[in-house]
């Protein structure tokens, strides 16, 4: 096969191939504590990796760092367990609406919603006063009014 025909042509997967050729060296440099920017910049300047930095980081994340194991997919049909008696969700709803727990000093325990603690005792924001709208006055201020800040001609 004549490889001279391929010179100058772009093909799909070129940067991935370049990355995989140096994968062990990149992993070793990461293990030694070098930042990804330095590794990419060195490879890019030496023409060892042609793609942009974000593609380099994507390859590092997918090809070097271990992927987290995926959870098992549920079976096609769920297992249904028979229950002895039917229970309504009313007892659960009643327990959710019960009184909030109190702290030692008698103040209610802050509720946690999505990682954010709501504190009912937190002071509210003060109302914001809007600035007065601009009004054009064709009468200029006197030098005395400008100097003292006491505006009387309006």
């Amino acid at each position: 096969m004549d490889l001279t025909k391929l010179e100058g042509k772009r093909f799909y997967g070129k940067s991935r191939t370049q990355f995989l050729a140096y994968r062990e060296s990149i992993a070793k440099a990461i293990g030694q504590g070098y930042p990804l920017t330095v590794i990419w910049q060195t490879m890019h300047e030496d023409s060892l990796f042609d793609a942009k930095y974000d593609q380099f980081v994507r390859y590092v994340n997918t090809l070097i760092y271990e992927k987290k194991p995926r959870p098992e997919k549920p079976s096609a049909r769920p297992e249904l367990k028979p229950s002895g008696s039917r229970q309504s969700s009313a007892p659960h709803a009643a327990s959710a609406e019960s009184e909030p727990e109190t702290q030692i000093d008698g103040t209610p325990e802050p509720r946690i919603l999505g990682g954010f603690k709501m504190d009912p005792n937190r002071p509210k924001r003060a109302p914001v006063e809007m600035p007065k709208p601009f009004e054009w006055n064709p009468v200029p201020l006197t030098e005395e009014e400008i100097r003292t800040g006491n505006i009387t001609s309006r």
Side-chain angles (χ1 to χ4, degrees), residues 18-152:
Q18 291 173 336
F19 184 88
L20 289 173
Y22 296 99
R23 179 171 46 180
E24 288 80 22
S25 301
I26 295 168
K28 188 175 181 181
I30 291 171
Q32 292 174 351
Y34 287 100
L36 293 179
T37 53
V38 172
I39 299 169
W40 172 81
Q41 190 174 21
T42 305
M43 290 182 71
H44 197 70
E45 288 172 355
D46 295 343
S47 299
L48 300 176
F49 188 75
D50 295 334
K52 294 182 179 180
Y53 175 72
D54 61 337
Q55 185 65 37
F56 178 77
V57 171
R58 209 173 296 136
Y59 285 150
V60 168
N61 289 334
T62 57
L63 300 173
I64 292 182
Y65 292 136
E66 294 181 18
K67 289 185 176 180
K68 294 180 182 177
R70 292 185 177 181
E72 293 182 17
K73 292 184 178 179
S75 62
R77 296 186 63 179
E79 291 183 31
L80 300 176
K81 296 180 181 178
S83 60
S85 64
R86 292 187 174 188
Q87 295 178 354
S88 66
S89 61
H92 298 292
S95 64
E97 294 174 3
S98 63
E99 293 182 25
E101 296 183 21
T102 57
Q103 297 177 358
I104 296 172
D105 61 354
T107 59
E109 185 75 29
R111 294 185 308 168
I112 299 175
L113 297 175
F116 176 77
K117 287 188 176 183
M118 292 185 61
D119 186 6
N121 299 327
R122 191 185 103 209
K124 305 294 183 208
R125 289 186 185 171
V128 177
E129 292 184 27
M130 297 300 293
K132 295 178 183 176
F134 175 77
E135 293 181 20
W136 171 255
N137 189 346
V139 179
L141 296 175
T142 64
E143 294 212 10
E144 179 69 25
E145 290 174 328
I146 294 173
R147 189 169 42 83
T148 61
N150 188 10
I151 301 172
T152 58

